[in-house]
Amino acid sequence: MAKGQRKFLDILERRPLILDGATGTELQKRGMPPGVSPELWCLENPGVIAGVHRDYARAGSDAVYTCTFGANRLKLGQYGEHDVPAVNRSLALAAREAVRGKALVLGDIGPTGRFIQPFGDLDFEEAVSVFKEQVRGLLEGGVDGFVIETMMDIQEARAALIAVQETCDLFTMVTMTFERDGRTLNGTDPLTALVTLQALGAGAVGCNCSTGPDDMARFIAAMRPYAKVPLIAKPNAGLPRSSGGLTVYDMDGAEFARRAGALVGAGAAILGGCCGTTPTHVAALRKAVSRKKAPLPLRKSLAALSSARRTVVLDPGRPLVVIGEGINPTGKKALQEELREGKTALVRQMARDQEAAGADLLDVNVGVPGIDQEAAMRDVVLMLAAATELPLVIDSAKPEPIERALRVYPGRALINSISGETEKLRRLLPVAAKYGAMFILLPLTDRGIPETAEGRADVVRAVAREARRHGFTRDDVLVDGVVMTAASNPDAPRETLRTVRWASESFGTRTVVGLSNVSFGLPERRWVNAAFLAMASASGLTAAIANPASEELMFVKKAADVLGGRDRDAAGWIAHCAGRGAAARCAPAEPLPPGQRLRDAILEGNREAVGGLVTDCLKAGMDAAALAREIMIPAIVEVGERFGRKEYFLPQLIASGETMKIGMEALEPFLREASREAAGRGTVLIATVKGDIHDIGKNIVALMLRNHGYRVVDLGKDVASERIVREIERHRPHVVGLSALMTTTMTRMQEVIELARRQGQQCPFLVGGAVVTRAYADSIGAAYARDGVEAVRVVEGLIR
């Protein structure tokens, strides 16, 4: 149990725990001007933030957040402040002094404003370092625990949580921000966030901001069946709107508290308020739920794996899981050569092919002699984390590449494998425990692999006992049945099946086999593999490391799911027969033409391949202008449409945009006429308004506009109204785009437009941002776009 966790559990045993409400909107109401750093302003006005903390404690908050949401060096540096520990220490001390023991004080850690690798350009270790600096200051200020909140990037949430855990052992909660469609900007859904963060050691997980209580109840309900930690809900007071030049929320304290009942019913045990909520909202919330029981976690352990965008649950009764075996250089000269050269294009292709063929997980092995396997594993894992939705299986004979991969992987991975060998146990169990990974338990000791199922069971029991000392349960383990070659040992398959059955039925854990070993040395191996899969499935097998491109194997797997009661209503079987199976039978043997491969490269964000494919197309006689007009631009438009349909998320959008840029640079010498045409589509000047340092949404819009051939003049963030108007005069844009994330800064949009009109500028304005609505845009005489896709359409309409 984490230090300080007992204080939280004591309250949860009696009733739901109540957090505080909004800080930013409260400070604004109490005099904080727009455009300042809330943290630095509070240091200059300590009485105001003390009043906010005191009012929330009096209203019934069991815990208040320190006013340190943006107190990291990346954000404070924008205001010229560099003593990060001192700022955090002072604000933590201020909170403790204000509540005087009547409420717990949680050190608040918010996002840096940048995306972390592999979804952005901020190095993962740099991000951990940024958060550790903040954590140390908060610890010096005497916080009772930590809350990591308003995270849109699961990798950033991981970096912050690791920073806390590597600095202290205090209780730490994490909340993510989901859009109304139930995904973060990067595509992470609530269940996937829960699986990743609770495995990594978060003491409680949930969501805050972006939505009101009703939408948030859906997210909590999705987490509830799989949670082994308390769930948190901290919604806004409804949706923002503009009234009399101010931003207001549509839900008063009574209405907010009434909706909170649904959050408890959905499974939230820890509740509070975000934007627009006040001490009045918190007091009403406390009164509404004080007689309710806090929902307890339904699980003590969970067998589930996750990527950044998908979760695979390994509960009994679910279909057999196929682990794609393709990304393994053994016997594959082309893959060996690519890994030696530090390239990943073939790995990307293998991942895509296996995902399309029906794999549920991907095994990743980079075991090529003579290369830096730690670096290679890190690079491949980061690439795959953005390129595929499938959770990864980290496969290496060496502990070092496994640890390197687990540290940067933005999900819960499966280790292949941990055996009973003394050194493997000593090195790998602590690593697996630190990063919350599941592992394949290989019944191998320093003396070798026992030949019989009974001997293997003895090894499994011994390893499981050791694993329990590190906090693992049987739900965290898949026992390897150990597949030997039938051709050399006819008894071997039987012992494998006996091991699988014992582990599944008697020992009570999940199981896995490396399937294709059984047929080594035999002709027509696909039939032997498929038959053995059916037999293992009937013995209780959970997962098979296999080739999903084998038509025979996948049909038998699907049939075994139906006959074993793992495929309700035969839905998986019917879908396979109607789609994937038929496609496999008709799969074309001919390679794709270069134009099609170029289109696919842009859709997949394949930066390595796109330059060569442009050259291939030109050598094949394709006209440069036609290549841009008929293949590349339609491909990037398709990327934007997939982003709009939520089929793609920010990582794919960025990757495809960069791929398009590389391709266009390769084409540019041959593209004079097309370049002139693209440049002629129009100029858009874009900026985030004064006082707002959030520019992710603005950057997406700029990226989308550039992808569609517009010239974009990007002024950056926190741009003064006077400068925007001067730049309008200088560049004469066809459209001006303004962005704001915060309710405290959105009013600057109106200021810019009024100033431009007074100076005779008649260009159309387009506004957007998390808190901006169409009604607000109408009220200030601007066009509105909900996201980057809509922004492109609106700009086209404004220029036409």
Side-chain angles (χ1 to χ4, degrees):
M1 183 180 294
K3 188 177 178 182
Q5 187 172 358
R6 187 71 254 168
K7 298 176 183 176
F8 293 83
L9 295 180
D10 286 345
I11 295 173
L12 291 175
E13 287 173 358
R14 304 194 304 272
R15 56 171 172 76
L17 188 147
I18 304 300
L19 302 170
D20 61 9
T23 299
T25 46
E26 277 301 293
L27 292 175
Q28 188 182 15
K29 283 164 51 180
R30 302 182 191 207
M32 184 181 76
V36 303
S37 161
E39 294 81 12
L40 300 181
W41 188 83
C42 285
L43 289 178
E44 296 168 355
N45 299 271
V48 178
I49 186 59
V52 173
H53 290 319
R54 258 195 315 270
D55 288 349
Y56 278 127
R58 288 170 179 161
S61 294
D62 298 304
V64 299
Y65 291 6
T66 57
C67 183
T68 53
F69 179 82
N72 59 70
R73 66 171 175 252
L74 297 181
K75 285 192 171 178
L76 289 179
Q78 297 175 12
Y79 296 95
E81 176 58 57
H82 303 292
D83 194 348
V84 172
V87 171
N88 284 275
R89 180 175 59 247
S90 297
L91 291 171
L93 287 170
R96 291 189 62 81
E97 174 64 21
V99 300
R100 294 181 178 274
K102 295 179 180 176
L104 300 168
V105 174
L106 298 178
D108 188 11
I109 298 175
T112 62
R114 291 172 63 183
F115 283 108
I116 317 296
Q117 289 177 337
F119 309 122
D121 61 352
L122 183 59
D123 179 78
F124 184 79
E125 296 303 335
E126 174 67 14
V128 173
S129 171
V130 166
F131 289 124
K132 279 185 176 179
E133 188 177 28
Q134 187 176 6
V135 169
R136 285 192 289 270
L138 290 166
L139 284 172
E140 291 170 4
V143 296
D144 297 298
F146 287 89
V147 58
I148 297 161
E149 62 149 324
T150 322
M151 289 287 170
M152 295 183 290
D153 178 358
I154 188 70
Q155 187 72 319
E156 185 166 30
R158 288 186 70 255
L161 184 54
I162 288 172
V164 175
Q165 291 176 329
E166 291 184 344
T167 309
C168 67
D169 58 355
L170 283 183
F171 178 71
T172 304
M173 315 191 306
V174 186
T175 55
M176 303 286 294
T177 293
F178 302 97
E179 304 293 322
R180 294 190 69 183
D181 65 359
R183 296 265 181 178
T184 68
L185 198 57
N186 274 3
T188 303
D189 61 88
L191 173 58
T192 295
L194 172 74
V195 169
T196 300
L197 295 170
Q198 71 178 6
L200 193 58
V205 176
C207 30
N208 75 292
C209 206
S210 275
T211 68
D214 295 345
D215 287 318
M216 198 164 285
R218 291 190 288 112
F219 308 154
I220 295 296
M223 295 179 177
R224 171 72 165 152
Y226 305 98
K228 57 179 188 175
V229 297
L231 297 177
I232 310 162
K234 211 167 186 280
N236 292 341
L239 296 175
R241 58 185 171 81
S242 178
S243 176
L246 298 175
T247 302
V248 298
Y249 286 79
D250 59 6
M251 204 173 281
D252 62 17
E255 179 69 8
F256 181 78
R258 189 180 68 78
R259 306 287 182 96
L263 286 168
V264 177
I270 301 174
L271 300 107
C274 204
C275 296
T277 57
T278 67
T280 302
H281 289 77
V282 170
L285 176 65
R286 173 69 182 261
K287 183 178 179 182
V289 304
S290 60
R291 295 181 181 276
K292 294 180 181 290
K293 285 282 187 182
L296 298 175
L298 297 176
R299 303 240 188 181
K300 293 186 177 178
S301 58
L302 177 67
L305 300 161
S306 60
S307 67
R309 302 191 295 278
R310 182 185 292 186
T311 289
V312 175
V313 178
L314 303 175
D315 277 349
R318 291 181 178 253
L320 190 145
V321 170
V322 173
I323 304 173
E325 65 180 6
I327 305 174
N328 188 322
T330 304
K332 298 170 184 168
K333 291 185 178 179
L335 181 56
Q336 292 172 12
E337 188 60 31
E338 175 164 293
L339 291 171
R340 285 194 184 94
E341 295 175 0
K343 297 179 179 177
T344 57
L346 184 55
V347 174
R348 180 195 300 271
Q349 182 65 41
M350 288 177 162
R352 188 186 73 161
D353 292 346
Q354 291 182 96
E355 186 170 7
D360 302 291
L361 309 172
L362 292 177
D363 189 87
V364 182
N365 185 310
V366 298
V368 177
I371 70 169
D372 183 346
Q373 293 188 26
E374 285 185 58
M377 180 66 88
R378 177 186 182 279
D379 293 345
V380 167
V381 164
L382 285 174
M383 183 276 292
L384 290 175
T388 177
E389 291 187 0
L390 301 186
L392 300 185
V393 181
I394 309 301
D395 183 358
S396 177
K398 300 180 178 180
E400 294 83 1
I402 291 175
E403 181 169 11
R404 193 80 176 268
L406 293 181
R407 186 165 179 85
V408 300
Y409 182 58
R412 189 189 192 198
L414 175 65
I415 296 174
N416 185 11
S417 57
I418 299 179
S419 69
E421 297 166 286
T422 305
E423 187 63 12
K424 287 283 185 68
L425 281 175
R426 186 184 71 80
R427 297 283 301 277
L428 283 175
L429 280 178
V431 170
K434 176 178 179 179
Y435 295 107
M438 293 182 67
F439 68 91
I440 293 175
L441 194 167
L442 179 64
L444 163 69
T445 70
D446 297 321
R447 296 185 299 276
I449 297 175
E451 291 191 1
T452 66
E454 288 76 11
R456 294 171 190 176
D458 288 341
V459 178
V460 169
R461 292 190 191 94
V463 174
R465 281 196 297 273
E466 185 64 19
R468 277 199 297 275
R469 295 180 56 244
H470 294 270
F472 289 101
T473 72
R474 294 180 184 180
D475 281 338
D476 299 314
V477 173
L478 284 84
V479 169
D480 191 334
V482 186
V483 177
M484 300 293 193
T485 304
S488 60
N489 183 356
D491 294 332
R494 185 181 65 242
E495 293 305 313
T496 300
L497 295 175
R498 290 182 63 224
T499 303
V500 169
R501 187 175 294 280
W502 168 82
S504 173
E505 296 181 356
S506 300
F507 193 64
T509 190
R510 278 73 177 172
T511 54
V512 62
V513 295
L515 190 71
S516 57
N517 288 346
V518 74
S519 62
F520 187 77
L522 294 175
E524 295 292 340
R525 294 181 61 184
R526 66 188 190 282
W527 297 109
V528 181
N529 293 341
F532 192 61
L533 181 69
M535 298 168 73
S537 178
S539 300
L541 186 71
T542 306
I545 303 173
N547 176 14
S550 168
E551 184 180 0
E552 296 82 1
L553 184 88
M554 294 303 285
F555 267 106
V556 167
K557 179 264 188 218
K558 295 291 183 181
D561 286 343
V562 175
L563 300 176
R566 295 171 153 191
D567 183 5
R568 188 171 183 176
D569 300 327
W573 172 256
I574 293 170
H576 186 72
C577 293
R580 285 263 306 91
R585 290 192 293 275
C586 300
E590 295 295 325
L592 294 172
Q596 180 64 49
R597 285 187 283 136
L598 175 59
R599 177 181 181 278
D600 289 348
I602 294 171
L603 290 175
E604 296 163 8
N606 191 341
R607 305 171 183 86
E608 289 182 15
V610 68
L613 290 170
V614 167
T615 302
D616 291 346
C617 290
L618 294 172
K619 287 181 178 176
M622 299 184 70
D623 175 73
L627 197 58
R629 186 176 59 249
E630 298 172 9
I631 293 178
M632 298 178 70
I633 291 176
I636 202 66
V637 170
E638 172 67 18
V639 169
E641 291 174 352
R642 292 185 185 188
F643 183 71
R645 295 195 299 266
K646 301 293 184 184
E647 296 171 7
Y648 272 20
F649 296 93
L650 190 58
Q652 291 108 319
L653 184 69
I654 293 173
S656 291
E658 292 178 353
T659 302
M660 179 72 172
K661 180 182 178 184
I662 295 170
M664 291 300 288
E665 288 173 352
L667 194 62
E668 196 276 337
F670 310 91
L671 198 62
R672 307 298 180 196
E673 185 175 344
S675 296
R676 284 195 295 274
E677 180 184 338
R681 297 201 70 181
T683 298
V684 181
L685 186 143
I686 191 167
T688 301
V689 296
K690 180 65 179 176
D692 204 320
I693 59 173
H694 305 85
D695 62 353
I696 291 172
K698 183 265 296 175
N699 291 343
I700 293 173
V701 172
L703 175 65
M704 294 288 292
L705 290 168
R706 288 193 182 100
N707 287 347
H708 283 73
Y710 291 96
R711 174 175 173 259
V712 176
V713 179
D714 187 347
L715 302 183
K717 56 193 175 185
D718 190 20
V719 185
S721 303
E722 294 77 8
R723 185 189 165 207
I724 294 174
V725 175
R726 285 199 305 273
E727 296 295 335
I728 293 173
E729 172 67 23
R730 176 185 172 197
H731 294 281
R732 301 287 181 182
H734 295 84
V735 178
V736 177
L738 300 176
S739 173
L741 180 74
M742 301 185 296
T743 55
T744 53
T745 57
M746 61 190 286
T747 54
R748 294 280 186 181
M749 295 173 162
Q750 183 175 6
E751 180 181 293
V752 173
I753 295 172
E754 290 177 351
L755 180 61
R757 297 297 183 240
R758 285 200 299 272
Q759 297 193 12
Q761 302 294 340
Q762 298 304 316
C763 53
F765 282 84
L766 168 66
V767 299
V771 298
V772 180
T773 64
R774 194 176 302 279
Y776 179 74
D778 291 342
S779 71
I780 62 175
Y784 169 77
R786 182 182 63 253
D787 52 33
V789 176
E790 189 174 16
V792 172
R793 290 199 294 268
V794 173
V795 167
E796 288 174 350
L798 291 172
I799 293 179
R800 188 178 294 129

